[in-house]
Amino acid sequence: MPPKLCALCNTSRPILKRPKTGQQICKSCFFLVFETEVHNTITESQLFQSGDRVAIGASGGKDSTVLAHIMKTLNDRYNYGLDLFLLSIDEGITGYRDDSLETVKQNQKEYNLPLKILSYSELYGWTMDDIVAQVGRKNNCTFCGVFRRQALDRGAAMLGVDHIVTGHNADDVAETVLMNIMRGDIARLGRCTAICTQGEDTIKRSKPFKYTYEKEIVMYAYFKKLTYFSTECIYSPDAYRGHARTFLKDLEAARPSAIIDIIHSGEAFEIRDEVKRGQKLQQTCKRCGYMSSNDLCKACTLLEGLERGMANAGITDKGVKQLNAAGPTPDNLRTIPFFQMNTVGNSGPSPSPNPWPLDSGPSG
Amino acid sequence: MSCENPTTDPDALMNRRPKFDKAKTCIKCKIAEGNIVIRHAVYCKDCFFPLLKTKFKRSLEPFVNRLPNGPRKKALNPSGNLLIGFSGGLGSTVLLDLVHKSYFSHRKPRESGGEVEAVPEQQETGAGDRYRDPRQERVWKKAAVCYVEVAGAFPGMKDRTEDIQRIVESYDDFEFVPLKIEDAFNGEWWESVDQCPSSSLLNFDISNEELPFFQSDSTRLTPLERLHTYLSRLPSPTAIPSTIRTLTRLLLLYTAHSTSSSHLLLGTSLTSLSISLIASVAMGGGFGVSEEVQEEWIPPRSGIEGRKEVGVRVVRPLRDVVNKECATWAWWNGLTVVGQETVPGFKQTIGGLTKDFIIGLERDYPSTVSAIARTCGKLTPKDEAGGQCVMCQRPAQRGMEIWKQRISVRSLADLEEAPSGIPIGTQENQPSLSPYLCYACHATMTSKSSRANPSSTNGPKLPTSTSDSKTVSNLVPLPVWVTARLFGPADKVQAEDPSREGSGDALRDGEVWRNVELGREEMRTAVKDFLLDQDE
Amino acid sequence: MLTISLKIEFAGGLELLFSNQRSHRISIPSNPASTPNEPPKRADITYLIHWLKDNLLKERVELFIENGTVRPGILVLVNDTDWELEGEGSYELMDGDEIVFISTLHGG
């Protein structure tokens, strides 16, 4: 039987089978289609304009390492004209981030991109180690999750950046669609397949890897010999995402196009009008200006709790009551600096404690 | 984004509440001790029966009249007859029983061995009683029960038509209408449901993503052989149960039409509905997600002069009732459930995986199942439909092909020009099926799986194909309604607007597309397993 | 050893796994011990499920038992009452009890 040829170029010998399409292709064709598909995604959605300052959320993991590589490659090849930055968040957990931060520093050298590392201590005045010392191991993750989300936005504002790109891939998006249907999260369901999200007071965030299979990202890194440090998160079986993840993997094994098919389904529907009208409106936090559903955003509530020694404030109902019962916020507490979207290249907020006067404190 | 670690975000944890709140007393009558727990609520046997009946009526009666009721409740007055789709499964069985008890007769079914005598209707609460006046005529004058036998598709599967017939005929007033799944390929059946027969048969080439179709000069194959050929050439195991569902649905719809039925009732429980919604999303059917719950179907123009087409409303009166409630009703009423046969290899298909997933979730997290149905009920298609899919006759999106080309580069030619949506790979003047299909049906016919079709040592087998000729191994016949849409009685291509922009002329431009036929390989999980050669 | 008599019913297709017989009358030990070191405890439904698997189940174990209990989708009634109201697997059986196992899966 004559040896098979690459399904695309029909000249070289194939060395891999694409998880996305099943085609057997050679290495250079794989690089070409992988990169071109991301390029298509970027241009079709008109994500960027020439001159944009774009921060790549860099965790040192495979998605962000490959993302940094791809963004640099495409920016050069197609002359997007972008100013690229690497932005990394240091939670201040001894031994956890050290390796991944090393990878990010390496990326900086490899791609010659400016790097900003923003730490929790710089931003909030507390490292995760400090927080754990105060609250213990049970609820410490609540802080981390909330703080990290804000940190990316704040870091980007400090860099004077127009746009954040993250390494969310097709598997992530598909998983999120399933998860949001399962938990009835209509608000998130309406947003999660959008390639670019922007709130009124947050920086644009995009996912260039929206249609890229996780397996292919790994293959790309493997063949390009890119190094990354992977911290695998282990979800307890009781988390929605854990269930959705296992199910998604089974679906992919049954029919590889399932991942794309789910994303397509997610893009095909939207919320009914009468349901939209009933949704809670977004407002901004009275203290720090970040987007919030309530007067105080989650991060400010958590930080106040830490500062006043009531660690469960904002986490448990009992903690919230305790916080409110303890009276109005004293004036001398450390707060999160006011969050401001920069206009042109401004440096953003200064990370010193208490830069702005407080108003009336938490609503009773 | 939060890492979704369960100790962080309380929403990230699914609530594993205790099975029921506090007491064991029935929450309805508050007197008797409970017999059954349904979604955290405790009910005694006497309260369970009217509760289920109320839920059933609440999901059905608002949709009986053509127009929704205004502030004052009107009498039930459907515009046509009633057709009940019966699969033999648990939901169907309970549906049949409830419909009969609610709208037809007060007599016990013969099956239970009781004498045929009038028994007083149970005490009920709720406004439904207003329709219970025995002096009034029945809500539906005529009712039929349609069963589609699937056994022909799978050699070795047991034909259950007789068992089903016994169940249906144990109720007075129901006419039994048996069909076979291969009727989807039978011109005679098509004529019997008052449709115009096509003078030609069509085959399409399933190995080509564009699905070009050709006139077939062969009528030598029986409908059963055509069905076997169709099923055996589908590109993945998932496609088989999915196709059976679509064929069954269309057979039921056309039967409803031909029996002048204004309503087609299906016994889909909340559990089954959640399963089919998730499975549909997983197969790319998000655009039609609201149709899964309830739909209005009007047959495409039949080409018969002067005929006015009346729509059929598909209602699922058990969509608020979980499987457990159905099983309890069936057990306490002594109903016989014939059951459904399993399609071979079902467990590894998307439908089967979804079923296992949802049923597993339902036991420990009962609220998840209703959350799924409720969430999907709040969704609506984003864009306007660009036409009707010729296969499933549901609204289809525009621009599906452009989207697909953009997402996955399948040929180097794609890289040269911007994706234009012009179907590539077909020769000039070659019509193709692809623009007339919705995303999900197209995926069913083209999305490959690396898994080989399962072979079982005992039990029903998957069908093998009967070829017209040995060389043409990729040609597949089309169901009769598809042929009718594409090839009207005038023997010309007269399909409705294709589901993409552009005139028919665009079909003729195209480039020859090279495609390497792929074998089916096992896909293993690690990256290295994708490598055909070690390239270190 | 004392035994207790029970009436067992299978419905919804489960009977096919138990010699195609819907009704069974059985006797099980009333105080079985799982190991010689353990003190004997009253037979509960979990014990019954395993007893049925070992003594009456003719085929396809995985269609009846999963992770030490009945497979999801199987409804269990104890004297016409949902076993969820009686403590599920830890309900202690009594002489003359009627246990019904109904599958809601019905093929497919």
Side-chain angles (χ1 to χ4, degrees), chain B residues 215-277:
Chain B
Q215 258 178 285
S216 160
D217 33 70
S218 155
T219 50
R220 281 181 284 139
L221 297 182
T222 65
L224 189 61
E225 286 166 336
R226 271 183 234 132
L227 173 72
H228 284 182
T229 305
Y230 189 91
L231 292 178
S232 66
R233 288 180 180 167
L234 290 170
S236 75
T238 285
I240 295 176
S242 170
T243 300
I244 298 280
R245 277 179 76 101
T246 303
L247 296 179
T248 304
R249 191 178 127 258
L250 268 300
L251 288 171
L252 289 175
L253 287 172
Y254 276 104
T255 304
H257 172 73
S258 75
T259 55
S260 305
S261 301
S262 54
H263 292 81
L264 169 63
L265 300 189
L266 300 176
T268 318
S269 65
L270 176 59
T271 315
S272 301
L273 184 61
S274 297
I275 294 169
S276 70
L277 287 169

Side-chain angles (χ1 to χ4, degrees), chain B residues 262-504:
Chain B
S262 54
H263 292 81
L264 169 63
L265 300 189
L266 300 176
T268 318
S269 65
L270 176 59
T271 315
S272 301
L273 184 61
S274 297
I275 294 169
S276 70
L277 287 169
I278 295 283
S280 177
V281 166
M283 293 192 271
F287 193 70
V289 96
S290 46
E291 308 268 322
E292 275 290 322
V293 184
Q294 188 153 316
E295 61 181 307
E296 305 269 343
W297 176 82
I298 300 178
R301 54 162 203 258
S302 58
I304 295 177
E305 288 296 325
R307 180 136 111 198
K308 197 175 155 214
E309 303 294 3
V310 178
V312 177
R313 182 173 287 170
V314 182
V315 185
R316 294 171 157 86
L318 296 179
R319 66 170 182 271
D320 216 10
V321 177
V322 293
N323 274 1
K324 184 174 176 182
E325 291 171 274
C326 292
T328 309
W329 177 277
W331 177 252
W332 280 341
N333 282 288
L335 303 181
T336 307
V337 182
V338 174
Q340 283 176 282
E341 287 282 352
T342 317
V343 169
F346 180 66
K347 273 188 104 60
Q348 294 312 310
T349 65
I350 288 185
L353 290 168
T354 308
K355 181 171 183 174
D356 282 342
F357 177 60
I358 300 285
I359 303 246
L361 276 184
E362 189 179 31
R363 179 176 67 174
D364 296 322
Y365 309 100
S367 52
T368 301
V369 165
S370 54
I372 292 170
R374 212 172 39 238
T375 309
C376 292
K378 294 181 184 165
L379 300 171
T380 184
K382 203 176 254 180
D383 300 317
E384 265 181 44
Q388 200 185 60
C389 172
V390 289
M391 183 67 189
C392 67
Q393 296 192 2
R394 279 189 173 158
Q397 274 166 299
R398 289 177 212 275
M400 174 199 73
E401 278 148 9
I402 305 172
W403 190 87
K404 279 191 161 177
Q405 262 179 278
R406 221 177 69 208
I407 307 293
S408 309
V409 173
R410 286 170 192 271
S411 95
L412 292 181
D414 284 346
L415 299 176
E416 305 299 326
E417 302 156 15
S420 58
I422 296 172
I424 52 177
T426 53
Q427 292 138 22
E428 279 205 23
N429 296 326
Q430 173 58 59
S432 71
L433 194 56
S434 172
Y436 304 102
L437 294 175
C438 67
Y439 184 96
C441 285
H442 188 260
T444 298
M445 293 189 199
T446 57
S447 178
K448 296 189 175 71
S449 165
S450 51
R451 287 212 181 121
N453 275 332
S455 53
S456 45
T457 45
N458 46 15
K461 310 238 181 304
L462 289 173
T464 51
S465 74
T466 316
S467 290
D468 282 64
S469 86
K470 292 221 164 57
T471 52
V472 195
S473 63
N474 296 321
L475 289 188
V476 181
L478 284 169
V480 287
W481 54 84
V482 182
T483 310
R485 287 295 302 285
L486 296 175
F487 250 66
D491 242 315
K492 282 202 309 242
V493 176
Q494 61 158 41
E496 310 245 320
D497 299 329
S499 62
R500 60 173 188 85
E501 267 140 23
S503 66

Side-chain angles (χ1 to χ4, degrees), chain B residues 19-193:
Chain B
K19 293 278 180 164
F20 56 92
D21 308 313
K22 299 176 195 130
K24 286 200 216 172
T25 322
C26 172
I27 64 163
K28 211 153 182 277
C29 66
K30 299 185 176 37
I31 308 169
E33 240 199 46
N35 292 99
I36 193 92
V37 181
I38 304 288
R39 285 147 78 182
H40 301 296
V42 179
Y43 299 102
C44 68
K45 202 165 170 175
D46 289 332
C47 290
F48 173 76
F49 292 124
L51 173 75
L52 199 73
K53 248 189 169 168
T54 304
K55 279 208 240 187
F56 158 78
K57 288 181 174 175
R58 211 172 46 208
S59 297
L60 171 58
E61 287 177 359
F63 306 103
V64 171
N65 294 341
R66 245 327 92 191
L67 300 168
N69 288 326
R72 289 191 63 202
K73 230 176 184 171
K74 294 207 200 115
L76 295 180
N77 189 19
S79 55
N81 297 324
L82 177 66
L83 184 68
I84 301 169
F86 190 84
S87 67
L90 180 58
S92 294
T93 306
V94 172
L95 176 71
L96 205 61
D97 195 53
L98 280 166
V99 170
H100 195 263
K101 283 188 165 109
S102 303
Y103 302 114
F104 285 89
S105 159
H106 295 292
R107 299 174 184 200
K108 278 190 202 164
R110 293 197 188 100
E111 170 88 7
S112 72
E115 286 198 286
V116 179
E117 63 185 38
V119 296
E121 189 58 58
Q122 282 174 319
Q123 290 298 3
E124 293 179 31
T125 53
D129 281 287
R130 240 172 266 147
Y131 306 126
R132 177 67 45 243
D133 193 333
R135 294 168 300 171
Q136 282 184 359
E137 281 182 6
R138 286 200 194 131
V139 174
W140 276 283
K141 295 178 186 54
K142 264 187 67 184
V145 178
C146 183
Y147 169 68
V148 180
E149 178 55 72
V150 166
F154 305 106
M157 190 180 275
K158 179 174 174 236
D159 186 316
R160 295 176 169 224
T161 312
E162 269 182 36
D163 295 331
I164 304 278
Q165 184 165 6
R166 226 173 289 133
I167 304 278
V168 173
E169 290 182 344
S170 72
Y171 294 97
D172 294 334
D173 319 305
F174 290 154
E175 183 196 336
F176 183 56
V177 181
L179 295 180
K180 295 186 188 303
I181 189 84
E182 54 265 33
D183 289 340
F185 295 88
N186 189 343
E188 281 173 21
W189 169 80
W190 188 238
E191 268 184 275
S192 76
V193 290

